[in-house]
Amino acid sequence: MCGVSGRVIHTGQALVDVVLEVPGLPTRGGNVNASSYTRYAGGAVSILVAAARTGAAAVHAGAHGTGPNGDLVRAALAGEGVAVSSAPVEGEDTGICVVQVEPTAERTFITTYGAERRITVESLATSAPVPGDLVCVTGYSLYAPTRDPLLEWLEGLAEGVDLVLDPGAALADLPEVAARLLSLTDVWTSNAQEATELTGVADVEAACAAVAGHLPPGATVVVRDGPEGCFVRVDGETTYVPGYPQRPLDTNGAGDAHTGVLCAERALGTPWLEAARRANAAGAIKVTRRGPATAPTRTEVDDFLRRQA
C-alpha cells in the first residue's frame, strides 16, 4: 500500500436505510408481506465505510440530525473511524430511505428529506479540504435545498482538490445545473445506465469515452458494467477492467462500495487501473452480504484477489 496522500471527503446525504426484503413489488393499491425489516446507516455512510476499511482517512462533510436516525449515522461512522466535521442540526432528525429488496437482489427506493439536507457553505467548509484530498459529490445533492450551498462551496475549492462525481439518476433531470457541476468534475464514476443517460450512447465502452467529452480536459471517467467490471478512461485511453461475477444476495450499496474503494485507493496513491480492479473485487464481495454499508476490508480484498489468481 502506498503512503497516505489525501482524504476521502463526502458531501452527500447520510441517511438511515429501512430495508424490507419482499417477494416482489406490490401492484398499485396492493399489498405485500416483507420477510425482514432492518435499519442501517446508509447513503454517504456506505461510501465512507468502504473508504475507511480500505485504509484511507475519511470525513463526512454533510449534515446530520439530532434524533435516533442521526445517532445511528454517527455511531456507524464512529465505529469505522470516519470523522464527522460539522455539528448536528438542532431540532431535526436525519431522514430515511425505504429500500425494498427482491429475491433477484434488485432494490427499489423511497426517500424522505430531513436534517441531511440542511447543509450550508460554512458547514461544508468545516471539512477543510486541501490538495490531495478527494471530495465526493452525489448528483442527488443537486436538488434543493442542498444544490445552491454545495455548488457555491465547490466552486471555491483549492487547486489540487479532486471533485469526484457519482451522478445517480438525478443528473439527467437537471441539465442546466448538471452542466455547472460537470465543469468542475475531475473524476466521474457511475453505472452504465447513468453514463448512457448523459451521453445517449448505449455501448458501455463508447459511453465511457463519450462522458469525457462533457468534462474538463484531463478528467478521469469510470463506468461500471455490473458484475462484468468497469471501463476506465485515463489520459485519453479507455481500458476494460474485468469484474468478478458472484451470486448476489443484496446489491444495495454495491456501487457505493466500488466508489468508496476506488476513491480510497486513489487517496493512497494507487494507479487508476489497479484501483479499479480492487474496487471491482470489493463490489463483488459486497453483493454477497446483506446491508448497504458492508464493504470488505483491505485484507478481505487482498484475500479475494489471491483466490482469483
Side-chain angles (χ1 to χ4, degrees):
M1 182 172 66
C2 302
V4 176
S5 59
R7 300 174 296 163
V8 177
I9 301 171
H10 207 298
T11 61
Q13 292 72 55
L15 298 162
V16 168
D17 282 356
V18 177
V19 180
L20 306 173
E21 293 191 38
V22 296
L25 298 181
T27 58
R28 185 177 183 183
N31 178 68
V32 65
N33 292 324
S35 60
S36 70
Y37 160 85
T38 315
R39 294 172 71 246
Y40 300 96
V45 174
S46 302
I47 293 175
L48 289 164
V49 166
R53 290 180 178 177
T54 302
V59 180
H60 183 230
H64 45 107
T66 49
N69 292 338
D71 291 343
L72 179 58
V73 164
R74 283 186 294 276
L77 293 174
E80 301 290 341
V82 177
V84 176
S85 65
S86 62
V89 175
E90 293 296 332
E92 187 169 4
D93 201 0
T94 291
I96 66 168
C97 179
V98 178
V99 184
Q100 299 172 83
V101 182
E102 299 175 76
T104 59
E106 188 54 77
R107 62 272 192 276
T108 306
F109 306 102
I110 303 173
T111 305
T112 70
Y113 280 14
E116 76 285 347
R117 290 282 173 176
R118 304 303 178 192
I119 61 169
T120 64
V121 173
E122 293 73 23
S123 70
L124 292 168
T126 60
S127 61
V130 297
D133 289 343
L134 292 87
V135 171
C136 299
V137 176
T138 169
Y140 293 107
S141 293
L142 293 181
Y143 295 117
T146 45
R147 176 184 60 231
D148 293 339
L150 176 64
L151 287 172
E152 181 180 345
W153 181 70
L154 292 174
E155 288 171 341
L157 289 179
E159 187 74 22
V161 176
D162 281 348
L163 192 162
V164 181
L165 174 60
D166 181 357
L171 204 70
D173 297 336
L174 305 161
E176 293 184 8
V177 178
R180 186 175 166 190
L181 180 56
L182 290 170
S183 72
L184 304 171
T185 298
D186 300 292
V187 180
W188 164 290
T189 178
S190 77
N191 62 34
Q193 180 179 343
E194 291 156 356
T196 296
E197 288 172 348
L198 176 70
T199 64
V201 178
D203 177 78
V204 183
E205 181 176 5
C208 182
V211 167
H214 294 262
L215 306 178
T220 297
V221 180
V222 178
V223 177
R224 303 185 301 276
D225 190 17
E228 301 307 314
C230 64
F231 288 89
V232 181
R233 186 170 182 83
V234 183
D235 297 329
E237 182 176 347
T238 304
T239 303
Y240 171 60
V241 182
Y244 306 95
Q246 307 291 308
R247 183 187 296 275
L249 180 65
D250 181 3
T251 60
N252 185 24
D256 291 340
H258 192 284
T259 297
V261 172
L262 182 79
C263 291
E265 291 291 350
R266 289 299 296 164
L268 294 167
T270 307
W272 273 112
L273 297 185
E274 176 62 12
R277 184 176 81 100
R278 295 184 65 85
N280 286 350
I285 296 168
K286 193 271 148 242
V287 299
T288 66
R289 301 172 172 179
R290 283 188 170 88
T294 51
T297 64
R298 186 177 196 85
T299 299
E300 288 174 322
V301 171
D302 288 341
D303 291 343
F304 178 89
L305 289 172
R306 274 194 293 269
R307 293 196 299 271
Q308 308 308 309

